[in-house]
Amino acid sequence: MDHSTSDCQLNPGEVDYEFESNEVPEPLSVVDDELVPKVGMTFTILEDAGKFYRNYAKAAGFSTRVRCTNRKGNEIKNQLITCSREGKWKSKISPTEKTNPTAGLNCPARIYIHTLKDVGAWIISKVVLDHSHLCCPSKAEMLKQHRELSMYIRRTIENNEEAGIRPSKTYQSFVAAAGGHRELNFIEKDVKNYITREVRNVSKQEDAKEFGKYLLRMKEKNQNFFFELELEEDQSIKLAFWADARSRAAFEYFGDVISFDTTYNTNRYNLVCGSFVGVNRHGQSTLLGCSLMKNEEIESFKWLFQCWLRCMGGNASKGFLTDQCASMKRALEACMPTTIYRWCIWHIKKKIPSKLNRYKGHADIEQEMSQVVWNSHNKDSFDRNWNDFLLNFGLADNKWLSDLYEDRHIWVPIYLDHHFWAGMRSTKRSESMHSFFNKYITRNSSLIQFVKQYDNCLGSREQAERESDAADFHTVIPCATKSSIEAQFQDAYTHQKFREVQAQFRGKANCITRLTNSALGYSVYEVGEQVSSSIFKKFVVTYDSVAAEVKCQCLLFESRGILCCHALSVLSFEQVSQVSPRYILERWSKKVKRRHTHIKSSHDEPLMEPRSKRFDQLVFCSQNICEFASESEELTTILHRAYDNVMAEMESLKAKRKGTSSLSHEDANLESVNELQSPPRIRTRGRPKNRLGSKLDKQIANATKKKKTKVLSEINLFDAASVVHSNSSQYQGHVMNYQFRVPAAGDNSLSV
């Protein structure tokens, strides 16, 4: 056959030689002789022998595993390390049903290591280099054994996990920093496995203990940190509530209205998370406490609300928003009888489609119901409009609507807006906090992960308030009109609240004011507001010039603390230049100094092992050096040379200390002391053979070295070349050589 005309050949003119060269099968590599294991090689410790064989395996293109280890008591006598494809596992599953790959191919490659008892070293006594399969060095770095996560990579993964960054994004950041996937010696699966096995792997018992330790650590940091736990008979957590010092201080200013909501999507124990949320002077949500509950029974809510009152010094909030939970309602009425209770109107509107979909024209029903709820300006008009609504659509017998009407005093705006609600009519603020948790917390999350994210949420709320405070201090929002009243609010209110005031000043342009009655300084106005091209709404506004008091039928100021455009229109009509101080609420003021702004939100410091702490400190200190050296190639070269010298010095010191470690008073802590182990117990009869003798006894013992001389003569029989390799530090030299790679009972409650 003429190979020149074979189908496997290409026309020379069509060949991409660069591509063709990349496609040539990789020949079997020739491993450096210094890396090849040989009979007679000795090592100081067993770990060095295993590491040496792994380095050879990586260079040759395979991976290893410890096949068996023989012990005598607590001492290892010998060990067999084989190729990972040794043996052949027989599955009980039919080959037609089995889909998982297997690696066993009865590969004979192995080394056998045993101890030289009299010398205290380890020696390779058997080596088999041949394999039953092909080895590919270029693919060895993809084998699990040869993939590793450095200290830098692990610390970055841990920090990103705490920050809520997805594992895939973390991995991509490593790829971008290293310059490509090939520059990394690990894969994305390793990142995910590390998070699952190391970061998130907390047992049920340890999880509860760590949760309790977290609460105690926060209490030690600030004595104003408050927590209470209710335990079951088996000491498992039934109820928990905690609030940090900053939240307790913020309650003094922003605890007048609270939104409370619960959600199930918290952790692996299906505990109900409840968050107490208020509104600060910028109109931002602020966390004022958190709870975990095993159930949503009345007694559970009573326990929680009583804890809340104790935490806040017995001061009940004026307003409390919740969802339509009967247990919560009864618990609130029992624990806070003076608090005005309100249902979240958003939850009610959300239920309308499911409750009324079976009726013909349900869309019109929903629209008309909204009109009745929002456009009734007094209680009598709401009652009339509601009855007309039921009659028009034939809904008089609907039980859900009948029950809603019976409870109208806790959800219809006209029954509630006479009281201050800081602009809240729903529990969306609480739900927004839960949505923050839901981004980073899953059903499999531990309690420790939950409190870490709660700390992060506290920190983000604190930072948002600090940024807004700074903006209020350094900048000014220009007035939109020439009104001196607007300038009055500009000087007093925070930026966010002043923007709300400005919106009302702009809305004043759509208002037509007409005086309907006036007597003895008391005037009644009718203000028509054009809300669309064809819709006008009329509001009754009264003004008392003696008391300098203005009231509008829309109750915007009473419920939100912001003067409405109707009231502003009347004030303009009356030529009022300055409003009474009662209309400038201290709650929205940017000039009042508040104690909670000087308190940091609680945040747990990571409990790292000493090595991780030292690593983080070194990385932090080296940043300035690296930044300075990167200015020029000469400075970079100097730094690299210094790194090489330091690395060589550290390798030398590590080789001298190999097999031993020390614990000084500087490094000692409870964690390290708990890891101390007793030496292996040696069973002997009679007097110890190796007793401590005098100097003369030692001289006599040194003069008789028959056994030692015999062992040394046996070692000299080995191949002279093996003696060269007996220094284990030489084997490590190839691996340890400095390289920097850019990382592509009774009372079951606990309280404080």
Side-chain angles (χ1 to χ4, degrees):
M1 180 177 179
D2 188 359
H3 293 284
S4 62
T5 61
S6 171
D7 293 338
C8 298
Q9 299 296 316
L10 296 174
N11 188 335
E14 298 175 352
V15 175
D16 184 345
Y17 289 98
E18 181 179 0
F19 178 79
E20 183 185 35
S21 64
N22 290 336
E23 291 297 319
V24 173
E26 180 179 350
L28 295 177
S29 65
V30 179
V31 182
D32 191 342
D33 187 63
E34 290 185 356
L35 297 176
V36 179
K38 300 179 182 67
V39 174
M41 286 184 172
T42 59
F43 301 87
T44 305
I45 57 176
L46 180 61
E47 286 75 13
D48 285 347
K51 185 175 182 179
F52 174 75
Y53 193 45
R54 288 195 300 271
N55 291 336
Y56 164 71
K58 185 174 183 180
F62 67 100
S63 61
T64 69
R65 66 187 177 102
V66 177
R67 184 65 178 83
C68 64
T69 301
N70 295 326
R71 300 173 182 267
K72 187 176 181 181
N74 293 324
E75 295 183 358
I76 298 176
K77 293 301 180 181
N78 52 62
Q79 191 173 83
L80 174 64
I81 307 177
T82 66
C83 173
S84 61
R85 307 196 71 175
E86 180 267 344
K88 193 169 185 179
W89 181 66
K90 294 182 179 180
S91 175
K92 296 180 181 179
I93 304 174
S94 170
T96 58
E97 299 176 0
K98 181 176 174 57
T99 57
N100 293 334
T102 58
L105 283 176
N106 290 324
C107 182
R110 65 193 59 204
I111 64 170
Y112 184 76
I113 314 164
H114 69 86
T115 181
L116 293 173
K117 180 174 61 176
D118 299 319
V119 179
W122 296 83
I123 186 170
I124 298 179
S125 59
K126 182 179 179 179
V127 176
V128 178
L129 299 179
D130 296 331
H131 295 265
S132 64
H133 55 90
L134 293 176
C135 298
C136 183
S138 65
K139 294 181 174 62
E141 62 183 13
M142 290 291 100
L143 298 177
K144 184 178 180 180
Q145 184 183 64
H146 303 311
R147 305 195 307 261
E148 61 178 348
L149 301 176
S150 66
M151 177 71 77
Y152 170 79
I153 298 297
R154 296 197 301 271
R155 292 296 299 130
T156 303
I157 293 173
E158 292 166 5
N159 291 333
N160 288 1
E161 173 65 13
E162 184 175 352
I165 300 174
R166 297 198 302 271
S168 59
K169 296 295 183 182
T170 297
Y171 178 72
Q172 288 301 322
S173 68
F174 293 140
V175 173
H181 292 78
R182 289 179 175 269
E183 303 302 320
L184 297 176
N185 57 351
F186 60 92
I187 61 178
E188 184 175 349
K189 186 178 180 180
D190 297 325
V191 176
K192 295 180 178 179
N193 287 343
Y194 181 76
I195 293 173
T196 302
R197 297 172 184 174
E198 302 295 335
V199 181
R200 297 179 180 173
N201 187 23
V202 183
S203 66
K204 181 178 179 180
Q205 292 77 12
E206 291 299 321
D207 194 15
K209 291 179 182 178
E210 291 301 322
F211 177 64
K213 291 178 182 177
Y214 159 82
L215 297 176
L216 290 175
R217 287 195 298 270
M218 295 299 99
K219 184 67 176 179
E220 291 175 359
K221 279 187 169 184
N222 193 316
Q223 289 300 309
N224 286 326
F225 185 92
F226 180 95
F227 73 90
E228 284 196 24
L229 301 176
E230 180 77 14
L231 309 179
E232 298 280 16
E233 292 182 359
D234 60 354
Q235 300 300 299
S236 63
I237 297 174
K238 180 181 179 181
L239 299 163
F241 170 78
W242 69 98
D244 70 325
R246 180 183 173 89
S247 297
R248 298 180 72 185
F251 177 83
E252 179 183 345
Y253 309 100
F254 312 123
D256 46 1
V257 182
I258 297 298
S259 170
F260 178 79
D261 188 46
T262 57
T263 180
Y264 273 93
N265 191 16
T266 53
N267 50 56
R268 63 182 71 163
Y269 315 111
N270 208 30
L271 294 175
V272 182
C273 170
S275 57
F276 296 84
V277 180
V279 180
N280 66 12
R281 58 180 170 181
H282 303 286
Q284 301 165 339
S285 299
T286 179
L287 274 167
L288 300 177
C290 189
S291 65
L292 292 172
M293 300 184 294
K294 202 171 184 178
N295 54 60
E296 290 186 288
E297 297 175 354
I298 297 175
E299 293 305 317
S300 297
F301 283 118
K302 282 184 178 181
W303 180 92
L304 175 59
F305 295 146
Q306 288 167 356
C307 284
W308 164 260
L309 288 174
R310 287 194 293 272
C311 176
M312 302 307 171
N315 299 316
S317 300
K318 296 178 181 178
F320 216 95
L321 282 91
T322 68
D323 58 14
Q324 289 177 277
C325 177
S327 299
M328 200 183 302
K329 179 177 180 294
R330 292 178 63 180
L332 271 171
E333 291 172 347
C335 298
M336 308 180 198
T338 61
T339 297
I340 302 170
Y341 175 63
R342 183 172 191 164
W343 276 349
C344 170
I345 196 169
W346 179 81
H347 279 95
I348 296 175
K349 291 177 63 179
K350 189 179 179 182
K351 292 180 181 178
I352 293 176
S354 62
K355 297 292 184 179
L356 303 178
N357 268 355
R358 67 179 184 270
Y359 290 95
K360 184 179 180 181
H362 59 85
D364 295 333
I365 294 175
E366 183 176 352
Q367 183 178 359
E368 183 63 24
M369 183 177 173
S370 297
Q371 290 289 334
V372 172
V373 171
W374 295 106
N375 294 331
S376 298
H377 300 310
N378 56 67
K379 298 176 183 180
D380 293 336
S381 65
F382 172 78
D383 293 339
R384 289 194 304 270
N385 294 336
W386 183 267
N387 290 328
D388 293 341
F389 158 69
L390 295 180
L391 291 173
N392 291 337
F393 291 96
L395 300 172
D397 296 332
N398 186 282
K399 188 178 184 305
W400 181 70
L401 291 175
S402 298
D403 291 340
L404 280 180
Y405 182 75
E406 291 297 324
D407 293 323
R408 61 191 181 279
H409 62 285
I410 56 176
W411 69 275
V412 177
I414 193 60
Y415 284 85
L416 294 161
D417 284 352
H418 295 85
H419 308 282
F420 180 72
W421 293 99
M424 291 195 292
R425 284 175 171 167
S426 71
T427 58
K428 282 188 175 182
R429 291 182 181 270
S430 298
E431 291 174 1
S432 67
M433 295 300 170
H434 295 157
S435 66
F436 178 91
F437 296 138
N438 291 342
K439 292 178 183 178
Y440 314 114
I441 300 298
T442 67
R443 290 280 187 181
N444 296 321
S445 298
S446 63
L447 288 173
I448 289 303
Q449 287 178 269
F450 177 80
V451 295
K452 283 184 177 180
Q453 294 306 327
Y454 181 79
D455 282 354
N456 289 340
C457 191
L458 282 175
S460 66
R461 296 293 87 207
E462 178 190 2
Q463 181 62 19
E465 186 174 0
R466 292 176 66 243
E467 292 175 1
S468 297
D469 286 345
D472 290 341
F473 184 78
H474 290 285
T475 60
V476 176
I477 297 178
C479 289
T481 67
K482 301 296 182 180
S483 172
S484 59
I485 297 179
E486 184 184 5
Q488 196 177 357
F489 285 106
Q490 179 196 46
D491 179 66
Y493 276 13
T494 62
H495 284 1
Q496 180 58 37
K497 286 302 162 181
F498 180 58
R499 289 190 181 98
E500 295 180 21
V501 171
Q502 278 193 327
Q504 297 302 320
F505 271 96
R506 294 189 180 98
K508 190 177 65 171
N510 300 319
C511 296
I512 300 175
T513 305
R514 183 171 67 89
L515 179 64
T516 60
N517 193 9
S518 178
L520 300 176
Y522 186 85
S523 304
V524 179
Y525 291 87
E526 183 183 82
V527 179
E529 181 187 7
Q530 186 174 7
V531 296
S532 67
S533 59
S534 59
I535 299 177
F536 277 83
K537 288 184 179 181
K538 294 181 180 181
F539 299 89
V540 176
V541 182
T542 62
Y543 177 70
D544 188 343
S545 59
V546 178
E549 184 177 6
V550 61
K551 287 186 178 182
C552 180
Q553 196 177 21
C554 71
L555 300 175
L556 184 69
F557 177 78
E558 287 77 6
S559 62
R560 290 178 54 186
I562 298 293
L563 279 176
C564 62
C565 58
H566 321 118
L568 292 174
S569 180
V570 169
L571 292 175
S572 179
F573 190 90
E574 291 280 348
Q575 297 182 351
V576 177
S577 60
Q578 295 287 308
V579 296
S580 172
R582 70 163 66 97
Y583 297 111
I584 302 178
L585 301 187
E586 186 179 285
R587 198 187 195 285
W588 307 134
S589 175
K590 61 183 177 183
K591 295 183 176 182
V592 178
K593 294 184 179 180
R594 292 171 169 86
R595 184 168 57 92
H596 77 282
T597 58
H598 304 287
I599 305 174
K600 291 183 179 180
S601 61
S602 68
H603 197 280
D604 195 17
E605 295 180 357
L607 297 177
M608 298 182 296
E609 59 180 358
R611 183 181 180 185
S612 297
K613 289 183 179 180
R614 293 193 293 266
F615 175 82
D616 287 352
Q617 292 169 356
L618 289 171
V619 170
F620 181 79
C621 294
S622 63
Q623 289 176 352
N624 291 336
I625 299 176
C626 294
E627 182 179 356
F628 182 80
S630 63
E631 292 180 358
S632 67
E633 192 66 35
E634 292 80 4
L635 293 175
T636 302
T637 303
I638 294 174
L639 183 58
H640 275 296
R641 187 162 57 245
Y643 274 142
D644 290 334
N645 295 334
V646 171
M647 196 68 184
E649 184 179 351
M650 290 190 299
E651 285 181 7
S652 176
L653 181 61
K654 187 176 180 180
K656 293 179 182 178
R657 294 183 175 181
K658 185 164 291 185
T660 64
S661 63
S662 62
L663 185 64
S664 67
H665 71 279
E666 296 176 347
D667 298 329
N669 54 30
L670 181 60
E671 182 181 0
S672 59
V673 173
N674 285 336
E675 294 176 356
L676 294 178
Q677 302 290 329
S678 300
R681 182 175 180 180
I682 307 298
R683 297 185 178 274
T684 60
R685 281 186 284 179
R687 187 191 67 180
K689 296 179 180 180
N690 297 327
R691 66 182 180 90
L692 296 176
S694 63
K695 184 177 181 180
L696 179 61
D697 292 333
K698 294 178 181 179
Q699 290 176 349
I700 295 173
N702 291 333
T704 56
K705 299 180 179 179
K706 294 180 180 180
K707 192 174 183 179
K708 186 174 182 179
T709 304
K710 180 181 178 181
V711 173
L712 290 175
S713 63
E714 290 176 353
I715 295 178
N716 289 332
L717 294 176
F718 294 139
D719 188 357
S722 68
V723 178
V724 177
H725 297 288
S726 63
N727 188 350
S728 61
S729 63
Q730 293 181 2
Y731 304 134
Q732 294 182 353
H734 179 80
V735 181
M736 295 294 293
N737 186 27
Y738 160 71
Q739 291 182 356
F740 269 95
R741 169 181 282 182
V742 178
D747 184 11
N748 289 332
S749 65
L750 300 175
S751 65
V752 176

